[in-house]
Structures are given as structure tokens and as C-alpha cells.
């Protein structure tokens, strides 16, 4: 598990002073299929062949991050996030509604 606690992060300070419910994190993962689980540095979920992975996107979905959605979710929870909003961005901006 990723060790991230230092006591000095804004997540930890806000959750300590105002409670965990005051720390809300939004994570926008995107599905990525890989042929082999060893092709990526982060955790994957085998649901089909090829392997399904959720990577994090920033800059409006244009840039991928090198940490998987599961690992980031566990890290912000450990830091004190009381609410985590997961919003898969695979179908955004397609004009098909929710």
C-alpha cells in the first residue's frame, strides 16, 4: 500500500479540524484495455481478455496519470477523504445523456 500520511497535507489538516465529511475528492478514471497486466505499472482488474484498467485523467481528459484509480482512491481515503466521487469519463461529451 502506498504510504502517504505525513500529518501536513491539506487533506489531513482539513479532516482533523472539520471532520472527514469536509474532504470531498472527485476522481475521473477512464477505461483502458491492456493485453498483459505487466504492460502497466499500476494495478489492473481482469474482467475480460484483454485486461481492463482504469487510469486517471487530468486536463479535461487529455492526459493520463501513472497511478491507477484504485490506488489513488485508497490513498485519499487514508489521508482523510470522507467522500469520494468516482465519475468514469468514458462517455462524456457524446450527447447521449446520462
Amino acid at each position: 500500500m502506498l504510504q502517504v500520511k505525513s500529518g501536513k497535507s491539506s487533506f489531513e489538516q482539513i479532516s482533523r479540524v472539520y471532520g472527514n465529511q469536509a474532504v470531498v475528492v472527485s476522481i475521473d478514471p477512464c477505461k483502458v484495455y491492456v493485453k498483459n497486466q505487466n504492460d502497466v505499472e499500476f494495478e489492473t482488474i481482469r474482467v475480460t481478455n484483454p485486461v481492463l484498467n482504469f487510469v486517471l485523467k487530468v486536463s479535461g481528459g487529455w492526459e493520463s496519470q501513472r497511478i491507477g484509480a484504485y490506488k489513488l482512491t485508497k490513498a485519499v481515503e487514508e489521508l482523510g477523504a470522507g467522500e469520494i466521487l468516482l465519475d468514469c469519463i468514458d462517455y462524456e461529451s457524446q450527447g447521449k445523456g446520462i
Side-chain angles (χ1 to χ4, degrees):
M1 172 51 69
L2 182 65
Q3 296 298 319
V4 293
K5 286 186 121 178
S6 68
K8 298 179 181 180
S9 72
S10 55
F11 283 80
E12 294 167 282
Q13 292 177 22
I14 293 168
S15 65
R16 185 173 49 252
V17 173
Y18 299 103
N20 289 28
Q21 77 283 353
V23 182
V24 181
V25 177
S26 176
I27 298 174
D28 294 328
C30 179
K31 288 185 224 172
V32 174
Y33 292 92
V34 295
K35 290 183 180 181
N36 186 331
Q37 289 176 298
N38 298 325
D39 290 345
V40 292
E41 303 172 7
F42 32 84
E43 297 176 37
T44 57
I45 304 165
R46 178 172 289 285
V47 292
T48 59
N49 195 6
V51 178
L52 173 63
N53 184 38
F54 289 92
V55 296
L56 300 178
K57 296 286 190 166
V58 296
S59 299
W62 292 100
E63 296 177 29
S64 296
Q65 296 299 298
R66 300 180 92 186
I67 183 171
Y70 176 77
K71 189 173 274 189
L72 179 64
T73 302
K74 295 302 286 180
V76 296
E77 178 187 34
E78 183 181 326
L79 285 171
E83 294 184 30
I84 300 170
L85 171 65
L86 288 172
D87 181 25
C88 188
I89 63 172
D90 291 334
Y91 301 107
E92 284 186 359
S93 301
Q94 293 187 6
K96 297 179 181 177
I98 296 176

